């Protein structure tokens, strides 16, 4: 971390002093709003890399809970995003956040009392559409572990109720500080996985697959429910067998009854991302796959290609772990029927399928 | 700048010195016809070159025309060797801009002459005055950079085979790749959007297959297409684009070709069309029937029933 920027409005929040103490030695600058950070980042030769080397502590003046921005035409999981921060210290070629924020700056919201007030009120109301929440949409959930106690507080809060599950999604292995917490199986530790080749080519500063699986194994041993996200799956010659092997490797390490779900999603991206990947990851071939514009405006692999991959990997997961819920992130009925043999609508919808999986594995009441 | 008028022997003019050149080399023969008819109306501007001869400041095409007409001397305004470069450059640009609309390469050379090395804000003011155009510094900077591109790109601009934006793109490519593209664009005469599409698709193939762009574009397949198209640029352009698209999107292209074959077997009557989902992504197919009268509609009443009997339909809608 090269510099810590603190918004003047955030300076008195307790989380700031915790982070400052854990980043001792990092130069600090107090700012009145984000403009100066944005200018500094935009002036760098690689603004995206620059945005990962600074941390901006700010107050979230909007809502912390937001529905996942699914689109029509594809089945959405109905996940609720808990918006704790933005961007990431890891550097993945395919990361949509590179094109999503203008500019992308590592940001952490520090008004945690507001967050917990909003979250507690929502949980107390027990809305049917807020049974699965997670912090891993706009950032990696566990990169904040060395800096903040937010995850620990969240784990404890969810552990004290019985109708919603928190999903912490990561490509890291930073689970140690969470293991002894009273999670009551209401926090799912979720690991993004990929093949060794895809990780090497496209994921800078992430943990190797083996380390992620070791962290998952350790988490399961401490009673945490788990999830695995094969997302984004990258098509390349021979990838099918490698993804199948990843699936088998997972279930050699963790018991299937500890796994709430496994998601599969192939690489999809806003068209703006392509030149960014080409510039920042010149060795990566991911933008040059056989992509077509999807019904949501994002580029995605030509449907028969992704269906074929899904079919093989889903079969490998079912063979290794028949009881585990497998789902597709943002796919249509045809893909579901061909790769899994049913449409989510036949089982009450994808959100319902996942709520039931959370009920079964995490014990939430639905 | 007031310069004395003198008659200068043409043999003393160094036409190889293009320091102040703004004009494109072409156009001297038309000008020669004009001079033959009405004479030389304006003297050229020369500068002593310190070696007993003269460099041209303004009048490159007039001097070429006069040489072709066999003139020995030319009435000239003559600057000394010590004359201010910026003043002469301004004069050269102003005179060219006043005499005719400049081509893009002429504008580029003109901008390059105006205040080289000075801040772009300052140069923009000079350019606005000399070229009589409203400009912004970024545009002028890009415009000037054209004059530093390799000769084959500048020629492609002059022949209107590539536009300003594409020329800059070619200038950023390895020279061998740019040369192949410029040659292809010169043959196919594509619009800028089609050039961009061709470049994008070829670049994707090049990166995916780890081969140089020139290898994608100068392979035997494209050579054969150009040969077989027999000078029909429209046909050649379409077939080159189809070839590249098949290479870039092999599965999608195969599906499209397969669909076309099956759709042809449906033998749809005139005015009826079958559209698959865009890129075969969605599930919704569209059967459209255009009619002008009830009678035409009545004539189509058995169409759906006949389609359902057609074996090709089961390949389109399994």
């Amino acid at each position: 971390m090269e510099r810590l920027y603190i918004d003047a409005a955030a300076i008195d929040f307790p989380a700031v002093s915790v982070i400052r103490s854990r980043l001792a030695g990092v130069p600090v600058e107090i700012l009145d709003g984000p403009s100066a950070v944005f200018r500094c980042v935009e002036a760098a030769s690689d603004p995206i890399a620059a945005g990962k080397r600074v941390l901006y502590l700010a107050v979230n003046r909007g809502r912390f809970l937001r529905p996942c921005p699914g689109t029509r035409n594809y089945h959405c999981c109905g996940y609720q995003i808990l918006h704790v921060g933005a961007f990431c210290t890891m550097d993945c070629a395919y990361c949509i956040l590179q094109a999503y924020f203008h500019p992308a700056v590592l940001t952490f919201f520090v008004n945690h009392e507001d967050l917990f007030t909003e979250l507690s009120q929502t949980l107390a109301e027990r809305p049917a559409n807020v049974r699965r929440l997670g912090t891993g949409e706009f950032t990696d959930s566990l990169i904040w572990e060395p800096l903040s106690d937010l995850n620990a507080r969240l784990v404890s809060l969810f552990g004290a109720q019985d109708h919603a599950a928190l999903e912490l999604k990561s490509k890291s292995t930073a689970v140690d500080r969470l293991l002894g917490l009273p999670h009551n199986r209401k926090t799912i530790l979720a690991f993004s996985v990929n093949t060794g080749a895809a990780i090497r080519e496209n994921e800078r500063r992430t943990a190797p697959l083996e380390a992620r699986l070791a962290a998952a194994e350790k988490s399961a041993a401490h009673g945490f429910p788990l999830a695995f996200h094969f997302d984004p799956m990258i098509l390349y010659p021979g990838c099918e067998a490698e993804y199948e092997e990843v699936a088998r490797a997972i279930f050699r390490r963790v018991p299937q009854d500890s796994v709430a779900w496994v998601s599969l999603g192939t690489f999809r991206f806003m068209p703006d991302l392509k030149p960014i990947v080409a510039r920042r990851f010149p060795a990566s071939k991911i933008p040059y796959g056989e992509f077509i514009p999807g019904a949501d405006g994002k580029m995605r692999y030509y449907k028969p290609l992704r269906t074929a991959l899904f079919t093989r990997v889903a079969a490998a997961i079912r063979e290794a772990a028949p009881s585990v819920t497998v789902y597709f992130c943002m796919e249509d009925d045809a893909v579901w029927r061909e790769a899994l043999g049913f449409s989510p609508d036949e089982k009450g919808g994808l959100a319902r399928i996942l709520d039931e999986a959370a009920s079964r594995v995490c014990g939430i009441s639905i | 700048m007031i310069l004395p008028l003198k008659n200068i022997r043409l043999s003393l003019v160094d036409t190889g010195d293009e320091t102040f050149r703004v004009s494109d080399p072409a156009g001297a023969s038309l000008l020669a016809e004009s001079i033959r008819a009405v004479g030389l109306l304006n003297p050229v501007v020369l500068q002593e070159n310190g070696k007993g001869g003269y460099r041209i400041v303004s009048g490159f095409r007039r001097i070429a025309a006069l040489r072709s007409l066999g003139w020995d001397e030319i009435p000239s305004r003559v600057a000394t060797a010590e004359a201010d470069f910026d003043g002469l450059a301004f004069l050269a640009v102003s005179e060219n801009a006043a005499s005719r609309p400049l081509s893009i390469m002429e504008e580029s050379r003109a901008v390059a002459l105006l205040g080289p090395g000075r801040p772009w804000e300052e140069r923009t003011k000079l350019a606005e005055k000399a070229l009589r155009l409203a400009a912004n510094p970024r545009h002028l900077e890009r415009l000037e950079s054209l004059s530093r591109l390799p000769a084959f790109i500048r020629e492609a601009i002059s022949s209107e085979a590539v536009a300003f934006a594409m020329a800059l793109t070619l200038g950023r490519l390895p020279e061998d790749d740019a040369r192949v593209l410029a040659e292809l664009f010169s043959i196919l005469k594509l619009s800028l959007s089609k050039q961009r599409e061709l470049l994008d698709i070829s670049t994707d193939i090049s990166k995916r297959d780890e081969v140089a762009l020139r290898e994608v574009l100068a392979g035997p397949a494209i050579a054969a297409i150009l040969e077989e198209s027999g000078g029909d640029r429209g046909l050649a352009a379409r077939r080159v684009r189809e070839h590249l698209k098949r290479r870039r999107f092999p599965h999608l292209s195969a599906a499209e070709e397969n669909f076309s074959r099956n759709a042809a077997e449906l033998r749809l009557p005139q005015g009826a069309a079958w559209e698959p989902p865009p890129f075969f992504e969605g599930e919704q197919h569209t059967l459209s029937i255009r009619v002008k009268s009830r009678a035409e509609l009545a004539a189509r009443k058995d169409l759906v029933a006949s389609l359902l009997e057609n074996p090709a339909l089961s390949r389109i809608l399994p």
Side-chain angles (χ1 to χ4, degrees):
Chain A
M1 195 62 61
E2 290 179 355
R3 188 166 288 269
L4 177 64
Y5 293 102
I6 305 172
D7 195 290
I11 194 87
D12 294 329
F13 286 91
V16 171
S17 52
V18 172
I19 292 170
R20 286 184 76 161
S21 68
R22 293 182 187 179
L23 286 177
V26 174
V28 175
E29 204 170 317
I30 316 287
L31 303 169
D32 197 10
S35 307
V37 190
F38 292 170
R39 273 199 305 276
C40 168
V41 163
E42 280 169 340
S45 58
D46 181 352
I48 293 166
K52 293 171 178 290
R53 293 193 300 265
V54 299
L55 172 59
Y56 176 50
L57 302 181
V59 173
N60 180 9
R61 300 191 188 279
R63 286 186 60 79
F64 281 94
L65 268 176
R66 303 173 179 190
C68 187
T71 47
R72 309 189 278 123
N73 305 306
Y74 299 112
H75 292 285
C76 175
C77 64
Y79 177 81
Q80 294 286 323
I81 298 164
L82 189 54
H83 191 26
V84 299
F87 214 32
C88 187
T89 50
M90 294 180 257
D91 198 8
C92 298
Y94 50 71
C95 179
I96 196 68
L97 300 179
Q98 297 175 98
Y100 191 82
F101 298 115
H102 301 282
V105 174
L106 186 67
T107 302
F108 191 60
F109 297 126
V110 294
N111 51 328
H112 292 164
E113 294 318 313
D114 296 338
L115 182 157
F116 281 95
T117 301
E118 183 184 332
L119 185 56
S120 299
Q121 278 172 359
T122 304
L123 291 176
E125 289 163 12
R126 303 171 74 106
N129 64 337
V130 186
R131 293 205 173 101
R132 290 165 288 106
L133 306 88
T135 60
E137 185 74 9
F138 296 129
T139 184
D140 183 285
S141 300
L142 298 184
I143 59 164
W144 305 106
E145 270 305 283
L147 298 180
S148 163
D149 299 325
L150 176 63
N151 283 332
R153 286 185 69 187
L154 288 170
V155 171
S156 299
L157 175 78
F158 276 80
Q161 53 81 58
D162 70 349
H163 50 276
L166 170 72
E167 185 174 15
L168 299 177
K169 197 187 297 184
S170 186
K171 291 188 187 80
S172 83
T173 60
V175 296
D176 289 350
R177 294 195 327 126
L178 305 177
L179 296 178
L181 295 171
H183 58 79
N184 192 25
R185 295 187 67 76
K186 300 302 179 290
T187 293
I188 299 165
L189 292 179
F191 296 87
S192 295
V193 292
N194 223 313
T195 65
I199 291 172
R200 276 192 303 279
E201 188 176 304
N202 300 297
E203 297 184 3
R204 294 175 187 154
R205 298 198 290 278
T206 65
L209 176 65
E210 174 56 29
R212 292 180 219 181
L213 298 185
E217 186 176 18
K218 192 159 52 172
S219 305
H222 284 77
F224 275 94
L226 304 175
F228 294 92
H229 297 282
F230 286 74
D231 201 346
M233 300 171 89
I234 310 288
L235 281 170
Y236 58 89
C239 69
E240 298 87 348
E242 292 180 34
Y243 279 112
E244 287 171 328
E245 179 48 31
V246 173
R248 288 189 283 268
I250 288 170
F251 293 103
R252 282 196 295 268
R253 302 292 291 266
V254 301
Q256 57 176 304
D257 59 5
S258 69
V259 177
W261 45 70
V262 177
S263 80
L264 306 180
T266 50
F267 179 38
R268 54 208 177 277
F269 58 99
M270 292 185 287
D272 287 353
L273 184 67
K274 185 178 172 182
I276 295 173
V277 180
R279 188 176 67 248
R280 299 196 63 241
F281 295 83
S284 174
K285 291 186 182 178
I286 58 168
Y288 314 117
E290 203 165 342
F291 295 103
I292 52 97
D296 53 1
K298 291 182 183 168
M299 304 303 292
R300 41 180 65 216
Y301 289 115
Y302 173 55
K303 189 190 264 184
L305 299 178
R306 50 186 213 269
T307 306
L309 178 62
F310 287 149
T311 303
R312 280 190 59 172
V313 181
I317 295 167
R318 282 178 153 180
E319 190 182 334
S323 69
V324 167
T325 298
V326 178
Y327 74 95
F328 302 123
C329 185
M330 301 306 288
E331 286 295 351
D332 67 12
D333 257 1
V335 171
W336 275 82
R337 281 196 299 268
E338 191 165 341
L340 283 179
F342 64 93
S343 158
D345 292 341
E346 295 166 26
K347 301 189 176 188
L350 177 54
R352 178 73 191 175
I353 292 170
L354 296 178
D355 287 347
E356 285 174 0
S359 171
R360 208 165 45 248
V361 178
C362 308
I364 66 165
S365 56
I366 54 174
Chain B
M1 186 178 282
I2 297 169
L3 303 172
L5 186 61
K6 298 178 183 176
N7 274 333
I8 302 293
R9 282 171 52 206
L10 269 174
S11 60
L12 293 176
V13 178
D14 179 4
T15 52
D17 185 337
E18 300 202 325
T19 305
F20 291 103
R21 180 165 204 125
V22 172
S23 58
D24 290 332
S29 57
L30 263 181
L31 191 56
E33 290 306 310
S34 162
I35 292 170
R36 196 199 307 276
V38 299
L40 182 67
L41 300 179
N42 295 310
V44 300
V45 182
L46 304 178
Q47 183 189 22
E48 293 166 357
N49 65 8
K51 294 182 281 190
Y54 301 87
R55 68 163 60 96
I56 305 168
V57 175
S58 175
F60 280 87
R61 294 201 299 181
R62 277 170 284 175
I63 286 168
L66 294 179
R67 282 201 160 163
S68 73
L69 292 172
W71 285 31
D72 293 325
E73 289 192 332
I74 180 166
S76 312
R77 300 273 177 196
V78 180
T80 63
E82 294 76 31
D84 172 50
F85 175 89
D86 286 343
L88 292 178
F90 188 85
L91 191 155
V93 172
S94 305
E95 203 178 79
N96 275 279
S99 66
R100 67 189 186 286
L102 301 185
S103 72
I104 193 158
M105 280 314 304
E106 289 175 328
E107 282 188 358
S108 173
R109 285 191 290 270
V111 173
L113 278 173
L114 296 170
R118 291 196 213 160
W120 275 104
E121 278 67 24
E122 199 179 318
R123 298 183 68 182
T124 302
K125 285 180 191 149
L126 272 174
E128 284 177 342
K129 234 160 105 182
L131 288 163
R132 297 177 185 81
L133 51 78
N136 67 62
R138 177 72 190 124
H139 173 71
L140 289 183
E141 198 175 348
R142 285 155 49 94
L143 189 59
E144 188 212 31
S145 70
L146 293 182
S147 66
R148 293 192 301 272
L149 292 174
F152 66 88
I153 300 180
R154 286 185 274 127
E155 282 157 21
I157 299 168
S158 295
S159 65
E160 298 183 350
V162 302
F164 180 15
M166 180 52 68
L168 294 176
T169 303
L170 294 183
R172 289 191 290 270
L173 295 175
E175 194 165 320
D176 288 348
D177 290 348
R179 188 183 300 278
V180 169
L181 270 164
E183 281 169 12
L184 194 58
F185 291 160
S186 296
I187 295 168
L188 300 178
K189 297 280 187 204
L190 301 170
S191 65
L192 177 60
S193 64
K194 295 273 192 308
Q195 286 180 359
R196 282 190 170 135
E197 180 193 326
L198 190 145
L199 175 60
D200 287 348
I201 210 166
S202 310
T203 304
D204 284 359
I205 296 167
S206 149
K207 291 188 173 175
R208 181 195 66 196
D209 297 348
E210 297 183 61
V211 296
L213 192 55
R214 58 189 170 277
E215 289 175 47
V216 175
L217 291 167
I222 288 187
I225 288 170
L226 297 179
E227 173 79 25
E228 288 161 14
S229 300
D232 181 339
R233 282 180 177 150
L235 176 66
R238 196 174 68 243
R239 293 184 60 196
V240 167
R241 287 167 56 217
E242 284 169 357
H243 163 76
L244 291 171
K245 191 182 159 209
R246 267 197 302 277
R247 217 174 140 183
R248 173 70 181 87
F249 302 102
H251 295 90
L252 177 64
S253 299
E256 285 173 345
E257 285 163 18
N258 195 32
F259 171 82
S260 295
R261 272 194 304 276
N262 288 322
E265 283 184 43
L266 293 178
R267 300 188 196 294
L268 290 167
Q270 200 168 7
W274 192 291
E275 289 291 330
F279 306 102
F280 304 97
E281 174 62 19
E283 293 181 87
Q284 197 160 293
H285 291 244
T286 305
L287 171 63
S288 62
I289 305 169
R290 282 178 293 145
V291 292
K292 285 185 278 191
S293 64
R294 284 175 66 91
E296 275 190 13
L297 185 60
R300 302 282 176 258
K301 71 182 168 59
D302 297 328
L303 177 62
V304 172
S306 72
L307 284 173
L308 288 168
E309 297 296 315
N310 192 319
L313 185 71
S314 59
R315 295 193 290 273
I316 293 172
L317 286 178

